Amino acid sequence: GENVEQHPSTLSVQEGDSAVIKCTYSDSASNYFPWYKQELGKGPQLIIDIRSNVGEKKDQRIAVTLNKTAKHFSLHITETQPEDSAVYFCAASIGSSYKLIFGSGTRLLVRP
Amino acid sequence: GAVVSQHPSWVICKSGTSVKIECRSLDFQATTMFWYRQFPKQSLMLMATSNEGSKATYEQGVEKDKFLINHASLTLSTLTVTSAHPEDSSFYICSARDHPRSNQPQHFGDGTRLSIL
């Protein structure tokens, strides 16, 4: 079955710096890759997603890139702010089964 | 839009009791709902996929008689943890999607923290 690996597990950056989180997936049939932000005691919130027919997508300070050949996708956050501190999860959809398989999560800390 | 409400947000109960958790889509019809379990500092693990009007599909290793799922309407799915024990204590999260045949985003509820004494 699908397996999603996520790195790093923790990331500490200075406010204003950029943060990059990387994920790899195993199933070449996966075609949908969302990123979720989870704050303490809350459910995950979708922040951006990308489909396999697109290589890059941007929404203000957040961008996601996808390399289908390498089965690799990344989340980029620019000009980080303390409120960006949270746990971020990548996920991949296993083609026609529509299930999301999540990465292990990255705990991002933005130091003021 | 795309709001998913989960209730209760927190429950404590004695070992051996059954607990029901509700997941509602407030502004869309959810033909498919998903139930996840999350242990502290860990990722979300899919427990089952719930389709309106049909039986839920459980992931390998998830006891269907232990975790009863009902998706009787397009806006409500329930998860009942039967005869709960301390090892069932966890954070249970539901998600919903409004289109059955495409990779539309899943929208998550805020979870239910279950503590079994």
Side-chain angles (χ1 to χ4, degrees), chain A residues 31-32 36 38 41-46 49 51 89 93 95 97-105 107, chain B residues 34 36 38 41-44 46 49 59 91 93 97 100-106 108-111 113:
Chain A
N31 58 7
Y32 175 64
Y36 288 88
Q38 186 178 28
K42 298 282 189 179
Q45 297 296 310
L46 179 71
D49 57 9
R51 302 182 190 280
F89 291 98
S93 176
S97 70
Y98 316 124
K99 294 189 296 187
L100 283 179
I101 300 301
F102 282 83
S104 54
R107 189 170 300 274
Chain B
F34 301 87
Y36 295 84
Q38 186 178 33
K41 297 187 178 181
Q42 293 190 22
S43 188
L44 287 80
L46 180 65
T49 302
E59 294 300 300
F91 193 49
I93 312 173
R97 189 177 60 213
R101 295 188 182 278
S102 72
N103 287 328
Q104 293 297 315
Q106 287 185 28
F108 285 81
D110 270 342
R113 186 159 303 282

Side-chain angles (χ1 to χ4, degrees), chain B residues 8-58:
Chain B
S9 57
W10 183 51
V11 58
I12 301 175
C13 60
K14 294 181 179 180
S15 184
T17 59
S18 294
V19 179
K20 180 184 283 188
I21 302 169
E22 293 186 348
C23 180
R24 294 180 184 274
S25 56
L26 297 186
D27 52 0
F28 66 99
Q29 293 185 330
T31 53
T32 304
M33 288 183 170
F34 301 87
W35 288 95
Y36 295 84
R37 185 172 182 175
Q38 186 178 33
F39 290 107
K41 297 187 178 181
Q42 293 190 22
S43 188
L44 287 80
M45 297 300 296
L46 180 65
M47 298 175 66
T49 302
S50 168
N51 293 297
E52 187 269 336
S54 63
K55 290 184 178 181
T57 302
Y58 290 81

